[in-house]
Amino acid sequence: MSNVNTLPPGIFAAADYIDLARQALEEPVWHYLACGSGREITVRRNRGAFRNDAILPRLLRDVSAGHTRCELAGETLAHPVLLAPVAHQSLFHGDAEFATAQASAATDTRMIVSTLASRRLEEIRPHCALSPWFQLYFQPRREDTLDLAARAEAAGYGALVVTLDSTIQSPGLNALRAGFDTRRDTDPVNLSTYPGPQPTQLRRDQSRIFQGLMQHAPGPDDLRLLLAETRLPVWVKGVLRVDDALMLRDLGVAGLVISNHGGRALDGAPASLDVLPQIRAAVGDDYPLILDGGIRHGGDVFIAMAKGANAVAVGRLQACALAVAGPLGVAHMVRLLREELELTMAQSGCASLAEITADLLQKRPE
Amino acid sequence: MSNVNTLPPGIFAAADYIDLARQALEEPVWHYLACGSGREITVRRNRGAFRNDAILPRLLRDVSAGHTRCELAGETLAHPVLLAPVAHQSLFHGDAEFATAQASAATDTRMIVSTLASRRLEEIRPHCALSPWFQLYFQPRREDTLDLAARAEAAGYGALVVTLDSTIQSPGLNALRAGFDTRRDTDPVNLSTYPGPQPTQLRRDQSRIFQGLMQHAPGPDDLRLLLAETRLPVWVKGVLRVDDALMLRDLGVAGLVISNHGGRALDGAPASLDVLPQIRAAVGDDYPLILDGGIRHGGDVFIAMAKGANAVAVGRLQACALAVAGPLGVAHMVRLLREELELTMAQSGCASLAEITADLLQKRPE
Amino acid sequence: MSNVNTLPPGIFAAADYIDLARQALEEPVWHYLACGSGREITVRRNRGAFRNDAILPRLLRDVSAGHTRCELAGETLAHPVLLAPVAHQSLFHGDAEFATAQASAATDTRMIVSTLASRRLEEIRPHCALSPWFQLYFQPRREDTLDLAARAEAAGYGALVVTLDSTIQSPGLNALRAGFDTRRDTDPVNLSTYPGPQPTQLRRDQSRIFQGLMQHAPGPDDLRLLLAETRLPVWVKGVLRVDDALMLRDLGVAGLVISNHGGRALDGAPASLDVLPQIRAAVGDDYPLILDGGIRHGGDVFIAMAKGANAVAVGRLQACALAVAGPLGVAHMVRLLREELELTMAQSGCASLAEITADLLQKRPE
Amino acid sequence: MSNVNTLPPGIFAAADYIDLARQALEEPVWHYLACGSGREITVRRNRGAFRNDAILPRLLRDVSAGHTRCELAGETLAHPVLLAPVAHQSLFHGDAEFATAQASAATDTRMIVSTLASRRLEEIRPHCALSPWFQLYFQPRREDTLDLAARAEAAGYGALVVTLDSTIQSPGLNALRAGFDTRRDTDPVNLSTYPGPQPTQLRRDQSRIFQGLMQHAPGPDDLRLLLAETRLPVWVKGVLRVDDALMLRDLGVAGLVISNHGGRALDGAPASLDVLPQIRAAVGDDYPLILDGGIRHGGDVFIAMAKGANAVAVGRLQACALAVAGPLGVAHMVRLLREELELTMAQSGCASLAEITADLLQKRPE
């Protein structure tokens, strides 16, 4: 945990924060942050997916009126980079989510606050300028889920983002090997008033996974109830399949985050970028899709847009910048990412996000 | 050879047993275990094959009644992971096959006992709960082969698994270089009463392979005789071709183990996973197929199922766990593998093995 | 900066100059030279692209009258290797562009002098034998651009090469990290009489890229004006798209340099070689195309020709040879590259560049 | 240069001779042997090509009458492995070609003696049992070429193998860097009575390659003359194109060696294995084709056969074995390679070379 709030020298790219974070963080926390689940197959796929397409520069275009304004579900954002919900931010900086919220305010960036934040959602809210969104994990008891949603609504959050792909989560293997201990090292204060899952007594022929952890997994009715009870738009995060995307859209979900939880949920899942085009094709042009997973550079943002995303979210970059330089670091990282995107747009002759179309990409030969 | 029977700390995944085994075993034995034949092309293919498909998670499925029960040739197993026949287990632990059998009993796991076991098949049997299967190598004399089969039947084994892909076997090159010596280091007690192959006197224009070692190789008639003489179901292990699979099914073979002997038989053979779909397509949905080769994680088991396997078998993981922590190690490894499978199923919304279908996989782009 | 003018021993291939330059140059300059922009994705693509095709040797052809004469836009060159415009050559050798010009004269090689040369274009000209071309960056003020063009024409340059793909340029990240500072380390003397870009005062909602740097980016009218005002043939450098190529040809541009600025402009752009065939197919056989990017060996020149280039240009090899051995080095590098090309031609039975056709290439299997 | 004639311990595979040779040889000679031309692109392709196909084992086949007898141009050889023409064998062993010839006699192996042998062809012949073939380089003067052919015929050689793909040869770059000097280190005694190429006086506009080295390159008429003048069957080595193959067959050439000179001629050429199928398809089933390039294991021989070769030739393995253990080493290497082939045949159920068909291979997925 750090309290540094100054920019270190020698940062020229958003991704530079990664190496610096590795140096700044204690090893268990670094591994907790960097790890994916299992063998990290999906972590590698996320990054590798951005190398399969080249960007074709266009010449002599006038981009002097260019901008990165992003229309997302009826709102206009200054740029399409969101701060993904990152849990337990006190691991990375003494001011935790307050620091991130300040960076969000300084850079016109939408922040998505995690259910597992280290600070109370009501206290985070005032640090934000733009109304943040609240990432919601379904709780074992329905009333607690609805209470969390009501609290977010009351506190002035702009939307709920329900994460559905990680009903079971555990730290990556390297984090466990390095001694990271979730109970000891984290404190999800937003859940402190809820009872939490009751330990299930399992028979010998029952499974710790199916009859244990998955007892509390939400089903379609839980989502329907939430949609009925909240006035906030509800997004769903963790979608990788076309049929799930269509089902969720038809249920009234406001938009989707195409995501594999940064490779932290099902190891072996495809890169989120690789499923984006088929989901975009299925849901049509007008349904909002956010992509996360593997974004390290503004050029990656460009590629995600060209493949059908309306916006992107960054998690690891955010936590790394927070660890290295607190609110200033997160703000700086966002600015660098945005300028990298603008540079890519300028060089490919795009004056707005709407001009970033699939024909600007070229598949690599072979 | 080890007699350790306690779990070492820091094991979070079934595959963690591999590195620990490398440390626990003397070098010649480690190389004997780890090696494939020849240049180990097939060993690498086995592992690599599991990286060609991604698993698509599904959301909001109810898996609270989920289980891994496996219907295999009319029987119901608690889970689809079998202990592949591993020869010479006294190399890995002082209790040899007895230890493995105890782990099998503790975890409801089917064990397949090797012809080349370090303990007598009659003495291994009582350590098992679930009736084990007996892996059978054809012997130079037909009567010895039938005697082995009769002994397995008499001792209460549930099936025979005839290995046909390794009529010629020798330790891998690294094992030979490290000084592993099959005659000195192993003692196949189940064969002690049979005369063994007579040394052939070869003429100069004859081949040590064709006129020597292959003289004793079984032909279709040997298999037909065995099928006629035994009351046990007969499986065949080592099948990689569609025509062989159909021929064996038509001969009355009970099921097949799609296998390249863990890369220890014909080096250059394809990954067993890569031929599985075409064999499944040829034999139809109802003919039982077990896959081995390259499985290191429950996610690999999932992929094998999605491509048409009814169950899988693990050899190297088994021997590694045995070397590291004896019966406890093998039991722990099986439990970890099973939980990894359950986790993958839960995250992809599969409540039973039957729901693991090919549409849950997505080929990697390119 | 070096003043060495003798050939070091042990150079057997043009590419040998690269390793020697790494040793000869101070680290910031080496990184400035070697770096691409961003993550150097495009730098790697440029080099990798030449490995995707094999060259099929042909037997028994008579090449005793063979030559490398190159018809380019109505002129005949001794060979198809041009010296690409390399900026700031005083970084590499005390005689800077004078040295390169001397090498050009010694080897019948066309030199393209950069707008950002360290020596005045009027003073470079006399060192060349063959009339050099002048690479032109559009200046913030139109009159300055036209003045540069007029000076080149007056000094006896043979053509203008307008670079359009790098309206924004900055040193690569490794150069910045190593302390390279463009303002301190370079002096573009040819621009000393022009005012340079006026610092723009940006509002908070304006972008340093779009409303700042891109204000001065040229548009089609700038190019049309130049075409109307100069008597020199005008080439365009930095073309990677078919539509841009057709548009430029139709505007009256004399020919194109298919280039991604050696991976120094838009990182993420495709290898220039990979887009060459589609551009050649679109513009027809008679429109002149030069390729640069990734050429390290005469075999690469051959492949570029087979894919549709009329000539190639080398930048990094040129700067490396200049750094290692001054004019002698550049001349030697050109000779080596040319002999490597001749050797490849001889072995594939080509007696002239026109005989280097696409059917001499074979795509790699898979 | 070595005179060792005993087998070192620890050799279990033919390819083991490579590492031992690296230790046994002085560095310049090792590099001369191991190097390819240029950047060694083709050397790597040769080896990599054998990894693109898997071999499908077949079960229950009777191979007890199996053999490796090879029908080649009307003759029956004990096995399909030939000793490729390797120049300058005194670099590798004191007995040079005499040692290789003795190994050939001991293992029923056809040896192809190089024009550049370190021993007189007439003196090598008696060491062979099976009549060797003579590899012929065209000499600057036609009468010298015909004299060489006549000498080979008179000495009892069985065929001529005209190498056409390396009219220009030079040691690889690493050999040059290590100080290898062809003139100093080698002595092509079979050419001592011929005048050799006259140094050409080149004008400034002439090319050392085209007007120098290629003046002496043979054309179709040279080949026709040789075919008319000799009574020996004439093979051509170095063919990679379908059109060349058909042209040579139609000229009356007895058979072809599909080869890229082990990656020592045109760097950038495809793997010889990769062009074999298309050439086999073009010339039909009955025209004899030998393949060399990249063979390190009997499994590679099997793959070459399955893709259309009638026999294979090994060069580097031969020279390595010669360097390590003289005639005994070469004989041992041949025996290992043959047994590796036999093992592969046995495991895939092939009792003769004719049964090694393309359907035994399976392309790797992706």
Side-chain angles (χ1 to χ4, degrees):
Chain A
M1 194 203 68
S2 130
N3 282 300
V4 177
N5 291 310
T6 54
L7 287 187
I11 297 186
F12 300 101
D16 286 343
Y17 277 103
I18 295 175
D19 278 343
L20 290 169
R22 193 194 313 248
Q23 297 162 29
L25 290 169
E26 288 179 27
E27 204 166 317
V29 176
W30 164 253
H31 284 301
Y32 165 77
L33 166 54
C35 272
S37 55
R39 293 172 289 180
E40 309 198 334
I41 296 170
T42 299
V43 169
R44 284 189 293 275
R45 280 184 185 149
N46 274 352
R47 284 202 304 265
F50 289 95
R51 303 300 166 95
N52 290 330
D53 293 273
I55 303 171
L56 285 165
R58 289 188 301 189
L59 306 177
L60 295 175
R61 303 274 166 154
D62 181 3
V63 296
S64 63
H67 62 86
T68 58
R69 282 192 295 278
C70 170
E71 304 297 321
L72 191 64
E75 239 185 330
T76 300
L77 302 174
H79 60 87
V81 179
L82 281 69
L83 295 171
V86 171
H88 310 307
Q89 298 194 9
S90 66
L91 290 168
F92 310 119
H93 192 271
D95 291 334
E97 286 77 8
F98 295 166
T100 306
Q102 291 156 16
S104 132
T107 57
D108 302 318
T109 304
R110 165 137 289 144
M111 177 182 183
I112 309 177
V113 173
S114 170
T115 290
L116 302 176
S118 308
R119 296 289 179 268
R120 296 193 66 239
L121 67 93
E122 290 83 357
E123 293 173 58
I124 297 168
R125 176 64 189 87
H127 292 277
C128 295
L130 191 62
S131 72
W133 290 0
F134 184 70
Q135 178 274 332
L136 181 70
Y137 281 119
F138 277 95
Q139 299 302 309
R141 303 192 317 180
R142 286 188 165 184
E143 57 267 37
D144 298 338
T145 306
L146 296 177
D147 184 63
L148 271 171
R151 286 170 57 193
E153 191 175 335
Y157 283 74
L160 300 174
V161 179
V162 177
T163 300
L164 290 182
D165 67 350
S166 47
T167 41
I168 301 175
Q169 254 191 307
S170 85
L173 298 178
N174 285 327
L176 293 173
R177 287 185 193 114
F180 187 85
D181 178 334
T182 308
R183 281 167 189 275
R184 184 195 63 208
D185 297 340
T186 66
D187 179 20
V189 296
N190 286 296
L191 305 179
S192 57
T193 58
Y194 311 134
Q198 301 308 308
T200 321
Q201 202 59 37
L202 293 173
R203 296 195 314 267
R204 192 185 183 279
D205 67 338
Q206 286 188 312
S207 148
R208 197 175 64 90
I209 307 290
F210 291 124
Q211 282 76 46
L213 300 168
M214 293 301 289
Q215 288 310 309
H216 307 299
D221 287 345
D222 298 279
L223 184 60
R224 279 194 202 97
L225 179 68
L226 178 69
L227 286 160
E229 294 287 322
T230 185
R231 271 167 305 196
L232 291 178
V234 175
W235 290 63
V236 168
K237 177 166 175 282
V239 185
L240 293 179
R241 285 177 64 95
V242 165
D243 53 7
D244 281 342
L246 292 172
M247 178 261 285
L248 293 165
R249 185 195 59 177
D250 295 347
L251 281 177
V253 166
L256 307 178
V257 185
I258 308 305
S259 169
N260 48 37
H261 217 101
R264 300 167 89 90
L266 171 58
D267 190 39
S272 47
L273 186 72
D274 285 339
V275 301
L276 176 59
Q278 64 209 52
I279 293 179
R280 170 54 73 202
V283 299
D285 286 346
D286 296 332
Y287 191 64
L289 301 177
I290 298 172
L291 180 112
D292 74 16
I295 287 174
R296 298 288 181 273
H297 189 273
D300 299 339
V301 181
F302 185 97
I303 289 175
M305 295 292 182
K307 293 195 161 227
N310 300 103
V312 302
V314 293
R316 280 194 185 80
L317 277 185
Q318 175 196 159
C320 288
L322 180 60
V324 170
L328 207 54
V330 176
H332 186 215
M333 181 277 297
V334 169
R335 185 166 68 77
L336 286 168
L337 208 55
R338 183 178 169 177
E339 289 208 346
E340 290 162 359
L341 169 62
E342 290 177 354
L343 190 59
T344 306
M345 291 172 68
Q347 290 171 318
S348 59
C350 297
S352 70
L353 299 183
E355 296 177 29
I356 304 177
T357 48
D359 69 296
L360 293 171
L361 301 187
Q362 167 154 316
K363 268 257 165 279
R364 284 196 307 173
E366 241 96 306
Chain B
M1 194 203 67
S2 130
N3 282 299
V4 177
N5 291 311
T6 55
L7 286 188
I11 297 186
F12 300 100
D16 286 343
Y17 276 103
I18 295 175
D19 279 342
L20 291 169
R22 194 195 313 250
Q23 297 163 28
L25 290 169
E26 287 179 27
E27 204 167 317
V29 176
W30 164 254
H31 283 301
Y32 165 76
L33 167 54
C35 272
S37 55
R39 292 172 289 179
E40 308 198 336
I41 295 170
T42 299
V43 169
R44 283 189 294 276
R45 280 184 186 150
N46 274 352
R47 283 201 305 263
F50 288 95
R51 302 300 166 93
N52 290 330
D53 293 273
I55 303 172
L56 284 165
R58 288 188 300 188
L59 306 177
L60 294 174
R61 303 275 167 151
D62 181 3
V63 297
S64 63
H67 63 86
T68 58
R69 282 193 295 279
C70 171
E71 304 297 319
L72 191 65
E75 240 185 331
T76 300
L77 303 173
H79 60 86
V81 178
L82 282 68
L83 295 171
V86 171
H88 310 307
Q89 298 193 9
S90 66
L91 289 168
F92 309 118
H93 193 271
D95 292 336
E97 285 79 8
F98 296 165
T100 306
Q102 290 155 16
S104 134
T107 56
D108 302 319
T109 304
R110 165 137 289 145
M111 177 181 182
I112 309 177
V113 174
S114 170
T115 289
L116 301 177
S118 307
R119 295 289 179 269
R120 296 194 66 241
L121 67 94
E122 289 84 357
E123 293 172 59
I124 298 168
R125 177 65 190 87
H127 292 278
C128 295
L130 191 64
S131 71
W133 289 0
F134 184 71
Q135 178 273 334
L136 182 68
Y137 281 120
F138 278 94
Q139 299 301 310
R141 302 193 315 181
R142 287 188 166 184
E143 58 266 38
D144 299 338
T145 305
L146 295 179
D147 183 62
L148 271 173
R151 286 171 56 193
E153 191 176 333
Y157 283 74
L160 300 174
V161 180
V162 177
T163 300
L164 290 182
D165 68 349
S166 47
T167 39
I168 301 176
Q169 255 190 309
S170 84
L173 298 179
N174 285 326
L176 293 172
R177 287 184 193 115
F180 187 85
D181 179 334
T182 308
R183 280 167 188 275
R184 184 194 65 208
D185 297 341
T186 66
D187 179 19
V189 295
N190 286 296
L191 304 179
S192 57
T193 57
Y194 310 134
Q198 302 307 308
T200 321
Q201 202 59 37
L202 294 174
R203 295 194 314 266
R204 193 184 182 280
D205 68 338
Q206 287 188 312
S207 147
R208 196 174 66 87
I209 306 290
F210 291 123
Q211 282 76 46
L213 299 168
M214 292 301 288
Q215 288 310 309
H216 307 300
D221 286 344
D222 297 280
L223 183 61
R224 278 194 203 98
L225 179 67
L226 178 70
L227 286 160
E229 295 287 323
T230 185
R231 270 166 303 195
L232 292 177
V234 175
W235 290 62
V236 167
K237 177 165 177 282
V239 185
L240 293 179
R241 285 177 66 97
V242 165
D243 52 7
D244 281 342
L246 293 172
M247 177 261 286
L248 293 166
R249 186 195 60 177
D250 294 346
L251 280 178
V253 167
L256 306 178
V257 185
I258 309 306
S259 168
N260 49 38
H261 217 101
R264 300 168 88 90
L266 171 59
D267 191 39
S272 47
L273 186 72
D274 284 339
V275 301
L276 176 59
Q278 64 210 52
I279 293 180
R280 170 54 74 203
V283 298
D285 286 346
D286 297 331
Y287 191 64
L289 300 178
I290 298 171
L291 180 112
D292 73 17
I295 286 174
R296 298 286 181 274
H297 189 272
D300 298 339
V301 181
F302 184 97
I303 289 174
M305 295 293 182
K307 292 194 162 229
N310 300 102
V312 303
V314 293
R316 280 193 185 79
L317 278 184
Q318 175 195 160
C320 288
L322 180 61
V324 170
L328 206 56
V330 177
H332 187 215
M333 181 277 296
V334 169
R335 185 165 69 77
L336 287 167
L337 207 55
R338 183 177 169 178
E339 288 208 347
E340 291 162 358
L341 169 62
E342 290 176 354
L343 190 59
T344 306
M345 291 172 68
Q347 290 171 318
S348 61
C350 297
S352 69
L353 300 183
E355 296 178 29
I356 305 177
T357 48
D359 69 297
L360 293 170
L361 301 186
Q362 167 154 316
K363 268 257 164 280
R364 285 196 307 174
E366 240 99 307
Chain C
M1 194 204 69
S2 128
N3 282 299
V4 178
N5 291 310
T6 54
L7 287 187
I11 297 186
F12 300 100
D16 286 342
Y17 276 104
I18 296 175
D19 278 343
L20 291 169
R22 192 192 316 249
Q23 297 161 29
L25 289 169
E26 288 179 26
E27 204 166 317
V29 175
W30 164 255
H31 284 301
Y32 165 77
L33 167 55
C35 272
S37 55
R39 293 173 289 179
E40 309 198 334
I41 296 170
T42 299
V43 169
R44 283 189 294 275
R45 281 185 184 149
N46 274 353
R47 284 202 302 263
F50 288 96
R51 303 300 166 95
N52 289 330
D53 293 273
I55 304 171
L56 285 164
R58 288 189 300 190
L59 307 178
L60 295 174
R61 304 276 166 151
D62 181 3
V63 297
S64 62
H67 63 87
T68 58
R69 282 192 295 277
C70 169
E71 304 297 320
L72 192 65
E75 239 186 331
T76 300
L77 303 174
H79 60 87
V81 178
L82 281 68
L83 296 171
V86 171
H88 310 307
Q89 297 194 8
S90 65
L91 290 168
F92 310 118
H93 192 271
D95 291 336
E97 286 78 8
F98 296 166
T100 306
Q102 290 155 16
S104 134
T107 56
D108 302 318
T109 303
R110 165 139 288 146
M111 178 182 182
I112 309 177
V113 173
S114 170
T115 289
L116 301 176
S118 307
R119 295 290 178 269
R120 297 194 66 241
L121 68 94
E122 290 83 359
E123 293 173 56
I124 297 168
R125 177 63 190 88
H127 293 278
C128 295
L130 191 63
S131 73
W133 290 0
F134 184 71
Q135 178 273 333
L136 181 69
Y137 281 119
F138 278 94
Q139 299 302 309
R141 303 193 316 182
R142 288 191 165 182
E143 57 266 37
D144 298 338
T145 305
L146 296 178
D147 184 62
L148 271 172
R151 286 170 56 195
E153 190 175 336
Y157 283 74
L160 300 174
V161 180
V162 178
T163 300
L164 290 182
D165 68 351
S166 47
T167 40
I168 301 174
Q169 254 190 306
S170 84
L173 298 178
N174 285 327
L176 293 172
R177 288 185 192 114
F180 187 85
D181 178 334
T182 309
R183 279 167 189 276
R184 185 195 63 210
D185 298 340
T186 65
D187 180 18
V189 295
N190 286 295
L191 304 178
S192 57
T193 58
Y194 311 134
Q198 299 308 308
T200 322
Q201 202 62 36
L202 294 174
R203 297 194 315 267
R204 192 184 183 279
D205 68 338
Q206 286 187 314
S207 148
R208 197 175 65 87
I209 306 290
F210 291 124
Q211 282 76 46
L213 299 168
M214 292 301 289
Q215 289 310 309
H216 307 301
D221 286 345
D222 298 279
L223 183 61
R224 277 193 204 97
L225 179 68
L226 179 69
L227 286 160
E229 294 288 322
T230 185
R231 271 167 304 195
L232 291 179
V234 176
W235 290 63
V236 168
K237 176 165 176 283
V239 184
L240 294 179
R241 285 177 65 96
V242 165
D243 52 7
D244 281 342
L246 293 172
M247 177 261 285
L248 293 165
R249 185 195 60 177
D250 295 346
L251 280 177
V253 166
L256 307 178
V257 185
I258 308 305
S259 169
N260 49 37
H261 216 102
R264 300 168 88 91
L266 171 57
D267 190 39
S272 48
L273 186 72
D274 284 339
V275 301
L276 176 59
Q278 62 209 53
I279 294 179
R280 169 55 73 203
V283 299
D285 286 345
D286 296 331
Y287 191 63
L289 301 176
I290 297 171
L291 180 111
D292 74 17
I295 286 174
R296 298 288 181 273
H297 188 273
D300 298 340
V301 181
F302 184 97
I303 289 175
M305 295 293 181
K307 293 193 163 230
N310 300 103
V312 302
V314 293
R316 280 193 185 81
L317 278 185
Q318 175 196 160
C320 288
L322 180 61
V324 170
L328 206 55
V330 176
H332 187 215
M333 181 278 296
V334 168
R335 185 166 67 78
L336 287 168
L337 208 54
R338 183 178 169 177
E339 288 208 346
E340 291 162 358
L341 169 62
E342 290 177 353
L343 190 59
T344 306
M345 291 173 68
Q347 289 172 317
S348 60
C350 298
S352 71
L353 300 183
E355 296 177 29
I356 304 177
T357 48
D359 70 296
L360 293 171
L361 301 186
Q362 167 154 314
K363 268 257 164 279
R364 283 197 306 173
E366 242 97 304
Chain D
M1 193 203 68
S2 130
N3 282 299
V4 177
N5 291 310
T6 55
L7 287 188
I11 297 185
F12 300 100
D16 286 343
Y17 276 103
I18 295 175
D19 278 343
L20 291 169
R22 193 194 315 249
Q23 297 161 31
L25 290 169
E26 288 179 27
E27 205 167 317
V29 176
W30 164 254
H31 284 301
Y32 165 76
L33 167 54
C35 271
S37 54
R39 293 172 289 179
E40 308 198 336
I41 296 170
T42 298
V43 169
R44 284 188 294 276
R45 281 184 184 149
N46 274 352
R47 284 201 303 263
F50 288 96
R51 302 301 166 94
N52 289 331
D53 293 273
I55 303 172
L56 284 164
R58 288 188 301 188
L59 307 178
L60 295 175
R61 303 277 166 151
D62 181 3
V63 298
S64 62
H67 63 86
T68 57
R69 282 192 295 279
C70 171
E71 304 298 320
L72 192 65
E75 240 185 330
T76 301
L77 303 174
H79 61 86
V81 179
L82 281 69
L83 296 171
V86 172
H88 310 307
Q89 298 194 8
S90 65
L91 289 168
F92 309 119
H93 193 272
D95 292 336
E97 286 78 8
F98 295 165
T100 306
Q102 290 155 16
S104 134
T107 57
D108 302 318
T109 304
R110 164 138 290 143
M111 177 182 183
I112 310 178
V113 174
S114 170
T115 290
L116 301 176
S118 307
R119 296 289 178 269
R120 296 194 67 239
L121 67 95
E122 289 83 357
E123 292 173 57
I124 297 169
R125 176 65 190 86
H127 292 277
C128 295
L130 191 63
S131 72
W133 291 359
F134 185 71
Q135 178 273 335
L136 181 70
Y137 281 119
F138 278 94
Q139 299 302 309
R141 303 193 314 182
R142 289 189 164 183
E143 58 266 38
D144 298 338
T145 305
L146 295 178
D147 184 62
L148 271 172
R151 285 171 56 193
E153 191 176 334
Y157 284 74
L160 300 174
V161 180
V162 177
T163 300
L164 290 182
D165 67 351
S166 46
T167 39
I168 301 175
Q169 255 190 307
S170 85
L173 297 178
N174 285 327
L176 293 172
R177 288 184 192 114
F180 187 85
D181 179 334
T182 308
R183 279 167 189 275
R184 185 196 63 209
D185 297 340
T186 65
D187 179 19
V189 295
N190 286 295
L191 305 178
S192 58
T193 57
Y194 311 135
Q198 300 308 308
T200 322
Q201 201 61 35
L202 294 173
R203 296 193 315 266
R204 192 183 182 281
D205 68 339
Q206 286 187 313
S207 148
R208 197 176 63 90
I209 306 289
F210 291 124
Q211 282 76 47
L213 299 168
M214 291 302 288
Q215 288 310 308
H216 307 299
D221 286 344
D222 297 280
L223 183 61
R224 277 193 204 97
L225 179 67
L226 178 69
L227 285 161
E229 294 287 324
T230 184
R231 269 166 304 195
L232 291 178
V234 175
W235 290 62
V236 167
K237 177 165 176 281
V239 184
L240 293 179
R241 285 177 65 96
V242 165
D243 53 7
D244 281 341
L246 293 172
M247 177 261 285
L248 292 165
R249 185 195 61 177
D250 295 346
L251 279 177
V253 166
L256 307 178
V257 185
I258 308 305
S259 168
N260 49 38
H261 217 101
R264 300 169 88 90
L266 171 58
D267 190 40
S272 48
L273 186 72
D274 284 340
V275 301
L276 176 59
Q278 63 209 52
I279 294 180
R280 168 55 73 202
V283 298
D285 287 346
D286 296 331
Y287 191 64
L289 301 177
I290 297 171
L291 180 112
D292 73 18
I295 286 174
R296 297 288 181 272
H297 189 273
D300 298 340
V301 180
F302 184 96
I303 289 175
M305 295 293 182
K307 292 192 162 232
N310 300 101
V312 302
V314 293
R316 280 194 185 79
L317 278 184
Q318 176 195 159
C320 287
L322 180 61
V324 171
L328 206 55
V330 176
H332 186 214
M333 181 278 296
V334 169
R335 184 164 69 76
L336 287 168
L337 207 56
R338 183 177 168 177
E339 288 208 346
E340 291 162 359
L341 169 62
E342 289 177 354
L343 190 58
T344 306
M345 291 173 68
Q347 289 172 317
S348 60
C350 297
S352 70
L353 300 182
E355 296 177 30
I356 305 177
T357 48
D359 69 296
L360 293 171
L361 301 186
Q362 168 155 314
K363 266 258 164 278
R364 284 196 307 173
E366 240 98 306

